[in-house]
Amino acid sequence: MALTLYVDTQRWRDQLDAACRAYPRIVPVAKGNGYGFGLERLAAEAARLGTDTLAVGTYDELVAVATTFPRDLLVLTPFRSYDTAPDAAHAGPTTATGSDLQDTIGDRLIRTVSRPDDLAELGDALDRPRIVVELLTSMRRHGVGVDDLPTVAKRLDDVRCEGWALHLPLPVAGAHKPEVEAWINRLREAGLPVQRMWVSHLTPGELDELGDAYPEIEFRPRVGTKLWLADRGSYEARAHVLDVHPVRRGDRFGYRQRRVPGDGHLVVVSGGTTHGIAVEAPSHVGDFRTRVKTLALGGLEAAGRALSPYTIAGKRRWFAEPPHMQVSVLFLPSSVRPPKIGDELPVNVGMIFTRFDRIVFR
């Protein structure tokens, strides 16, 4: 019995094709759990789409995609010299430096560099490796600052610079174009060539405006969520019902022998913490209504009640207790007809942190 992701293959691919039309020169991003679909599958789809570059999050993720995707591979996580010594005898296919990595992927590998010291480290260790220099944006995550540009300029002869990267915040109306233009001006004032910009979170409209304003620059949009997950109706998670137990109010159950809150059924379903069930990313609380909702849900959880992502008879049902590693237990009141063992229930999961037992493309 499994937690299964069902994919309407043609509808999903239609979504991917539409995204490629909306984002010319798109660079698909395949990282983490492969947005729920798996890294290997995303690499195969990127190859089918004909894109010339695939971006991954880390050097370890190269192993999963290097064979399936035959063209350039960009690692988004900035290189750090402490990952491994440049001349380490143990350097393998997943290390950030070392000849084995170069031999495995060859000239297809493009590293991201976000500090002058790391640029120097790579330039000294390898024979003109391909790199992208990340610039410090308003995200303030990684990146070279304006004051570092003269130092960067001195080291570019030791590498093959494939352009400049801008990791921007989520789209805010009119906010991104000025920041991109500001960096173009800074680079030019520093005497640095600006032929290609690798950008994230720009809208198709912003890309069109920048392309019209700077026709001499190639803008490469790195796209993940808007590519793989744009059409929520093209995929659905479902979980098997493993057991159904009738209970009366006050009956004890589970590891901690909690009491059942009323007459009804305990429904045991596939999916637990190892799958990412009930794992949530911290949410942005930006308005009064959301604050009230968050406080209410927090109060319910403090009282031992938490709403599950499983749907029975058209409604999400309460966890009877916290999820286990591979199964969850739901409480279903007596007013609702219980499902049968073997039935599959819809599950509202976060695709970026869910691990499925099976993925079925139909």
Side-chain angles (χ1 to χ4, degrees):
M1 300 298 186
L3 180 67
T4 304
L5 180 68
Y6 292 100
V7 184
D8 181 336
T9 306
Q10 189 56 56
R11 179 172 170 176
W12 186 59
R13 284 180 167 170
D14 288 345
Q15 159 205 303
L16 305 186
D17 294 339
C20 288
R21 290 191 296 271
Y23 294 94
R25 303 290 293 159
I26 191 173
V27 179
V29 176
K31 60 182 179 180
N33 69 342
Y35 292 85
F37 301 99
L39 293 173
E40 294 86 350
R41 182 72 195 204
L42 299 193
E45 291 299 322
R48 181 190 67 83
L49 291 168
T51 57
D52 62 11
T53 306
L54 176 67
V56 298
T58 68
Y59 290 92
D60 288 326
E61 291 167 356
L62 288 169
V63 176
V65 304
T67 302
T68 307
F69 187 81
R71 293 178 279 279
D72 287 348
L73 295 165
L74 169 66
V75 180
L76 298 177
T77 298
F79 166 79
R80 289 290 182 264
S81 58
Y82 52 71
D83 284 342
T84 180
D87 58 349
H90 64 273
T94 63
T95 53
T97 57
S99 59
D100 287 353
L101 181 58
Q102 205 72 35
D103 292 342
T104 302
I105 301 177
D107 208 35
R108 295 189 291 146
L109 176 61
I110 305 173
R111 297 170 172 86
T112 297
V113 178
S114 64
R115 302 192 314 167
D117 288 349
D118 296 322
L119 177 61
E121 177 86 6
L122 271 176
D124 291 341
L126 300 172
D127 182 16
R128 300 195 73 241
R130 299 174 71 188
I131 62 100
V132 167
V133 178
E134 184 165 354
L135 304 169
L136 186 63
T137 69
S138 55
M139 277 281 290
R140 301 191 187 280
R141 184 177 295 180
H142 306 294
V144 170
V146 176
D147 293 342
D148 292 322
L149 292 181
T151 305
V152 169
K154 295 176 182 178
R155 299 296 314 208
L156 289 185
D157 287 342
D158 299 327
V159 297
R160 283 173 288 168
C161 182
E162 301 288 344
W164 310 91
L166 294 172
H167 189 186
L168 298 160
L170 293 175
V172 178
H176 285 154
K177 187 168 178 281
E179 185 165 6
V180 175
E181 291 179 321
W183 266 112
I184 292 172
N185 292 333
R186 292 166 189 158
L187 291 167
R188 287 176 170 172
E189 289 169 2
L192 292 163
V194 188
Q195 297 172 331
R196 183 181 295 116
M197 303 287 288
W198 306 76
V199 294
S200 64
H201 299 144
L202 289 178
T203 66
E206 289 172 324
L207 285 166
D208 287 343
E209 291 178 12
L210 286 166
D212 291 340
Y214 302 94
E216 73 281 8
I217 299 177
E218 178 186 20
F219 291 95
R220 302 300 310 271
R222 305 175 303 195
V223 186
T225 302
K226 292 292 185 182
L227 173 64
W228 310 115
L229 301 178
D231 183 2
R232 189 66 179 84
S234 66
Y235 51 89
E236 180 185 34
R238 286 185 168 269
H240 277 109
V241 175
L242 306 179
D243 265 305
V244 179
H245 304 293
V247 289
R248 302 298 297 271
R249 180 182 179 86
D251 286 351
R252 292 188 179 275
F253 73 98
Y255 283 128
R256 294 172 179 80
Q257 289 293 281
R258 293 184 175 187
R259 292 187 183 276
V260 175
D263 295 351
H265 292 84
L266 294 178
V267 182
V268 184
V269 295
S270 56
T273 55
T274 57
H275 300 90
I277 292 296
V279 174
E280 292 187 53
S283 59
H284 171 69
V285 182
D287 56 68
F288 180 75
R289 182 178 180 181
T290 306
R291 290 190 182 98
V292 171
K293 183 178 178 181
T294 302
L295 286 170
L297 290 174
L300 286 169
E301 291 188 12
R305 297 189 67 191
L307 194 61
S308 85
Y310 299 88
T311 296
I312 300 176
K315 290 181 61 177
R316 288 176 61 183
R317 300 299 169 176
W318 298 96
F319 282 118
E321 62 179 348
H324 303 290
M325 288 189 70
Q326 293 177 315
V327 301
S328 295
V329 183
L330 316 176
F331 174 70
L332 197 63
S334 58
S335 59
V336 181
R337 184 177 179 179
K340 297 177 181 178
I341 294 174
D343 286 351
E344 285 189 302
L345 306 178
V347 193
N348 182 23
V349 298
M351 291 289 287
I352 61 172
F353 44 68
T354 301
R355 183 184 64 82
F356 297 99
D357 296 308
R358 296 188 307 163
I359 302 178
V360 179
F361 286 85
R362 301 190 286 197

